[in-house]
Amino acid sequence: MKKYQNIANKYAGLIFGLTLILLWEFSGYMGWLPRFIIPTPSQIITALVNDRANLWDNSRVTLLQAFIGLGIGIVLAFILAIVMDLIEWLNRALYPMLIVTQTIPTVAIAPILVLLLGYDMTPKIVLVVLTTLFPIIISILNGFANSDQDAVRLLQLMGANSWQVLLHVKLPNSLSYFFSGLRVSVSYAFVSSVVAEWLGGFEGLGVYMIQTKKAFAYDKMFAVIVLISLISLFFMWVVSLLERVFIPWMYRERKIRF
């Protein structure tokens, strides 16, 4: 009995998710849900398989935009975090502005960017940069702030300058915080890329979603939604793997602790 209870506790999320999917499928089969509006999971899986060519062609565009924007966002986040850490008045000036940018809905920014920058990839990439920058830069700054102050004071007593303290103490300490922020930003990158495509573009998963909606092909529309979720989950898992590669000592400490 205890063995089954441990299995249930370990896989509670998976069991709950599968239960919801089975209930969804059963409700559609029994006619309790309007299948032409809310397709069943089996219909969505069928659409994923049958429409894989269109999904692949459009997902390449969305992935490219998301990766370019995320890469630029990571570089900008590190540059801004380092400058803000070294210059106190700049930190006080920029930090509130970064918070304010997160109060503006993505849907409100996207059409302005499209009008200013056109219908190609540029406005989509800019939107991805804007949405992914905040979680990463805040995570890095938190890593800097939570660095070992004894190690910082020791290096300062040994004559180290601010750059040396940053390189040897603050940056290594911020890596775990950085990966935490990166996991959030990865999901933001794909979602913001799709949102930008809704409001202007010629190809991409967002454009294809609008096309399937207008054609009342809701099984294909839900297939796009599922694909976006799967892509986000996959790359969040990739970030976790990279974290294990770059900061393996963090996982060793957790094993020892538990």
Side-chain angles (χ1 to χ4, degrees):
M1 185 68 181
K2 189 175 181 181
K3 179 182 177 182
Y4 293 114
Q5 185 177 357
N6 291 333
I7 294 173
N9 291 333
K10 185 176 181 180
Y11 299 103
L14 179 61
I15 294 170
F16 182 70
L18 289 175
T19 303
L20 287 179
I21 291 173
L22 290 174
L23 286 173
W24 181 3
E25 181 72 30
F26 181 73
S27 298
Y29 178 78
M30 295 299 294
W32 298 341
L33 294 175
R35 298 179 70 173
F36 63 93
I37 296 177
I38 305 176
T40 60
S42 59
Q43 289 177 303
I44 296 170
I45 293 171
T46 302
L48 278 169
V49 175
N50 294 339
D51 203 35
R52 59 186 180 275
N54 288 325
L55 291 172
W56 169 246
D57 289 339
N58 287 284
S59 63
R60 285 187 301 174
V61 177
T62 303
L63 285 170
L64 181 60
Q65 293 167 172
F67 280 129
I68 294 174
L70 183 62
I72 296 171
I74 291 171
V75 173
L76 284 178
F78 269 103
I79 293 173
L80 286 173
I82 290 171
V83 172
M84 290 168 67
D85 182 72
L86 294 174
I87 305 173
E88 181 65 25
W89 66 266
L90 192 61
N91 190 355
R92 294 180 179 179
L94 291 180
Y95 198 91
M97 296 300 297
L98 289 171
I99 295 175
V100 169
T101 60
Q102 299 307 297
T103 63
I104 304 173
T106 304
V107 180
I109 302 174
I112 298 173
L113 292 175
V114 170
L115 289 173
L116 289 174
L117 303 174
Y119 289 89
D120 57 2
M121 282 191 179
T122 306
K124 287 83 169 177
I125 293 171
V126 172
L127 187 65
V128 172
V129 172
L130 292 175
T131 53
T132 58
L133 182 65
F134 180 79
I136 299 175
I137 192 171
I138 295 301
S139 299
I140 297 171
L141 288 172
N142 286 337
F144 289 167
N146 289 285
S147 297
D148 188 348
Q149 296 304 309
D150 292 333
V152 172
R153 283 191 289 269
L154 177 61
L155 284 179
Q156 290 173 342
L157 288 173
M158 294 172 66
N161 57 35
S162 299
W163 284 102
Q164 290 171 322
V165 171
L166 181 72
L167 180 63
H168 295 289
V169 178
K170 293 186 175 182
L171 278 175
N173 185 74
S174 68
L175 284 178
S176 61
Y177 294 84
F178 161 70
F179 280 108
S180 297
L182 184 60
R183 268 191 292 272
V184 177
S185 291
V186 163
S187 62
Y188 282 4
F190 299 112
V191 172
S192 58
S193 181
V194 170
V195 169
E197 290 168 351
W198 285 349
L199 302 169
F202 303 105
E203 53 185 344
L205 290 175
V207 175
Y208 190 59
M209 187 186 296
I210 297 298
Q211 291 173 347
T212 54
K213 178 187 174 184
K214 290 180 178 179
F216 299 101
Y218 292 114
D219 55 340
K220 294 181 180 180
M221 187 185 75
F222 272 84
V224 175
I225 296 171
V226 170
L227 181 60
I228 294 168
S229 299
L230 291 175
I231 290 172
S232 298
L233 289 172
F234 173 75
F235 283 104
M236 289 171 70
W237 174 73
V238 170
V239 171
S240 298
L241 288 183
L242 291 174
E243 185 178 13
R244 288 177 178 269
V245 171
F246 285 99
I247 48 173
W249 61 87
M250 292 294 297
Y251 287 90
R252 285 198 294 267
E253 288 178 1
R254 291 172 189 170
K255 288 181 181 178
I256 293 172
R257 192 177 302 160
F258 294 106

